[in-house]
Amino acid sequence: MLDKKDKFNSFFKRAGLKTTRQRNLVVEQLLNGRNRHFTAEDLYEEMKSKRKNISLATIYNTLHSFVDKKILKLVSVKKGKTIFCTNMKNHYHFFNSKTGKLIDIPFKDIRINKLPKPPIGTKIDNIEITINLVKKN
């Protein structure tokens, strides 16, 4: 049976990333068996409360390296806020600007009937849909 260190090393090797203490700390905090949405600041505060010594800049860099390797999603919402999503299955989001929370929308619940052709020399990598919510009057 693999111990935690071997699991992390295997995880990073599959993603093409070097294992570092900081990356291990971030993955340990994120991999709790359920999908979640969070900001880098949320993660920093969680880790700080558990006395895990890591800087906010290191968390940002680590999260963005995970996004680059497609092991974490980045969702940009209104007002320049960036939220990370651990659910790597195809899905979309509702965004509640009052609470700042993202809510998953299952892939099957949105149908796209037609897409424009991408510019020459490019292809569509993915489609991000975020539906912004406001309170009913």
Side-chain angles (χ1 to χ4, degrees), residues 60-86:
Y60 267 107
N61 291 337
T62 301
L63 295 176
H64 283 285
S65 71
F66 291 176
V67 169
D68 290 344
K69 294 295 184 175
K70 298 191 183 301
I71 53 178
L72 190 64
K73 284 186 182 180
L74 180 135
V75 182
S76 295
V77 293
K78 281 185 172 181
K79 301 176 189 167
K81 185 173 184 172
T82 299
I83 300 175
F84 296 90
C85 176
T86 60

Side-chain angles (χ1 to χ4, degrees), residues 9 28 33 42 46 58 66 68 72 76 86 92 95 100 107 120-121 130 134 137:
N9 287 338
E28 186 176 355
D42 294 335
E46 285 176 25
T58 299
F66 291 176
D68 290 344
L72 190 64
S76 295
T86 60
Y92 308 107
F95 176 67
F107 179 76
I120 294 173
T130 303
V134 295
N137 288 336

Side-chain angles (χ1 to χ4, degrees), residues 12-80:
F12 290 122
K13 188 174 185 178
R14 283 192 311 272
L17 293 167
K18 286 175 42 176
T19 302
T20 66
R21 183 186 74 77
Q22 292 88 352
R23 285 181 179 153
N24 284 349
L25 287 172
V26 170
V27 169
E28 186 176 355
Q29 189 69 28
L30 293 179
L31 297 182
N32 60 6
R34 59 190 168 98
N35 288 316
R36 59 187 285 207
H37 303 110
F38 59 93
T39 65
E41 291 82 3
D42 294 335
L43 193 60
Y44 175 74
E45 290 301 321
E46 285 176 25
M47 295 176 80
K48 194 166 89 171
S49 73
K50 293 182 178 182
R51 300 192 187 278
K52 294 182 179 182
N53 190 18
I54 188 169
S55 73
L56 181 57
T58 299
I59 289 174
Y60 267 107
N61 291 337
T62 301
L63 295 176
H64 283 285
S65 71
F66 291 176
V67 169
D68 290 344
K69 294 295 184 175
K70 298 191 183 301
I71 53 178
L72 190 64
K73 284 186 182 180
L74 180 135
V75 182
S76 295
V77 293
K78 281 185 172 181
K79 301 176 189 167

Side-chain angles (χ1 to χ4, degrees), residues 104-115:
D104 287 346
I105 303 170
F107 179 76
K108 64 179 178 44
D109 289 357
I110 291 182
R111 290 193 194 104
I112 300 172
N113 294 322
K114 185 177 180 193
L115 292 173

